[in-house]
Amino acid sequence: MRPSAVQLDVATYGESLALLVADQVGAFEDVEKYTRRLAGAETNVAIGLARLGLKVGWLSRVGDDSFGRFICKRVAQEGVDVSRVVTDAQYRTAIQLKARAVDGADPAIEYYRKGSAASHLSPADFDPDYFGAARHLHATGIAPALSASTMALAHHALDFMRARGKSISFDPNLRPMLWPSQQVMAQQLNALAAKADWVLPGLSEGKILTGYTEPADIAAFYLDRGVSLVVVKLGEQGAYYRSAQGEGVVPGVPVRQVVDTVGAGDGFAVGLISGLLEGLPIEQAVRRGNRIGAFAIQVVGDMEGLPTRSELEAASRAD
Ligand code: KDG
């Protein structure tokens, strides 16, 4: 029997991976030492929101193995509800390697995730009471890339939340190595994006998904499909936003040193989602997104840099 529903601000679903970050610079085959951390776009966002004090729940499947237990323990330690994470007796928890980043360049990664426990998530894992009790759904383009059943879950979750008038954010999080082709990736992710309220592509992602090169055209592509707000992330330049109410560019937050870019987009999503759920005007929510994105890139791990509420407030006051 499923435990009774928890009242959530934000619900999400997807795969988390045991992340092994190289302790030394170089090719994976030459690295001898790795530090174990946590990866997963959805749990990065869930943890960031929980650090700001929101109630967040995460649906997933993990293997009945040490990495699965590590992931559940680590995510729960951050205050995210893991009561809907299923331990799968048959399939393993996924692993990701990440290279030591050099001079702010995107680090190389390698996945061991095909056929993983989370790739067996399906609509049968979706608890309507749990999701129905949440105000907001955060979805990414990674979970649906894993298998036909995770794609079915993604459509099911977005359709369910949409039918109940909940807000939905969608970050395409392009991972081409998980898709059979760029064309299939674009077509399938655009179909999901059209079911969301807030769509958050990076500029290069928006170009791949829509064929347009300008942020305004990328935004128009999604607004024409019924999305209410599009924010195109522009890296250190900040972010461009557009909705029926207007458009603008919010400049980026400078950082002293970019340590590792992975997780910047998840940090951005934390700021935007929390800001909009708290009723901030779009421009201020985007500003918060830029700020938290800047926190995320100053550390080696994917989510360790995400701020608590007081750290966020201190950084905002320092401006
Ligand atoms: O956005 C950061 C994530 O991409 C990272 O933590 C790992 O979820 C991950 C993935 O599938 O690449």
Side-chain angles (χ1 to χ4, degrees), residues 67-99:
F67 283 143
R69 286 185 283 281
F70 155 68
I71 288 171
C72 288
K73 206 195 281 184
R74 188 69 193 83
V75 175
Q77 256 169 13
E78 294 283 347
V80 174
D81 182 70
V82 296
S83 62
R84 265 55 176 187
V85 179
V86 176
T87 299
D88 189 313
Q90 209 176 342
Y91 302 105
R92 291 290 194 188
T93 303
I95 301 172
Q96 178 180 347
L97 304 185
K98 183 165 80 163

Side-chain angles (χ1 to χ4, degrees), residues 210-235:
T210 68
Y212 293 108
T213 53
E214 291 304 316
D217 296 326
I218 294 168
F221 176 93
Y222 291 110
L223 294 175
D224 287 348
R225 283 160 179 75
V227 167
S228 57
L229 168 67
V230 182
V231 187
V232 181
K233 293 166 278 183
L234 306 174

Side-chain angles (χ1 to χ4, degrees), residues 74-256:
R74 188 69 193 83
V75 175
Q77 256 169 13
E78 294 283 347
V80 174
D81 182 70
V82 296
S83 62
R84 265 55 176 187
V85 179
V86 176
T87 299
D88 189 313
Q90 209 176 342
Y91 302 105
R92 291 290 194 188
T93 303
I95 301 172
Q96 178 180 347
L97 304 185
K98 183 165 80 163
R100 176 57 60 138
V102 181
D103 295 334
D106 291 347
I109 61 152
E110 200 167 287
Y111 291 136
Y112 297 80
R113 73 192 305 183
K114 211 170 176 43
S116 65
S119 70
H120 289 82
L121 277 165
S122 78
D125 294 306
F126 186 88
D127 177 351
D129 293 336
Y130 189 73
F131 279 81
R135 289 174 65 194
H136 180 85
L137 174 73
H138 179 64
T140 82
I142 300 177
L146 301 177
S147 69
S149 70
T150 59
M151 177 63 80
L153 170 65
H155 279 285
H156 182 75
L158 270 77
D159 289 340
F160 177 92
M161 296 300 265
R162 196 176 160 86
R164 276 151 194 82
K166 313 285 185 169
S167 53
I168 301 171
S169 46
F170 183 75
D171 184 339
N173 281 102
L174 297 193
R175 300 290 179 270
M177 66 176 95
L178 299 177
W179 293 93
S181 72
Q182 194 161 296
Q183 200 190 358
V184 171
M185 174 174 75
Q187 185 260 322
Q188 304 222 359
L189 291 184
N190 286 336
L192 285 166
K195 296 181 176 185
D197 301 289
W198 313 330
V199 176
L200 322 174
L203 180 58
S204 58
E205 295 180 323
K207 287 178 184 169
I208 292 169
L209 291 171
T210 68
Y212 293 108
T213 53
E214 291 304 316
D217 296 326
I218 294 168
F221 176 93
Y222 291 110
L223 294 175
D224 287 348
R225 283 160 179 75
V227 167
S228 57
L229 168 67
V230 182
V231 187
V232 181
K233 293 166 278 183
L234 306 174
E236 60 189 36
Q237 263 75 53
Y240 167 86
Y241 66 90
R242 185 163 173 190
S243 74
Q245 284 75 52
E247 62 176 337
V249 173
V250 180
V253 174
V255 298
R256 223 173 298 137

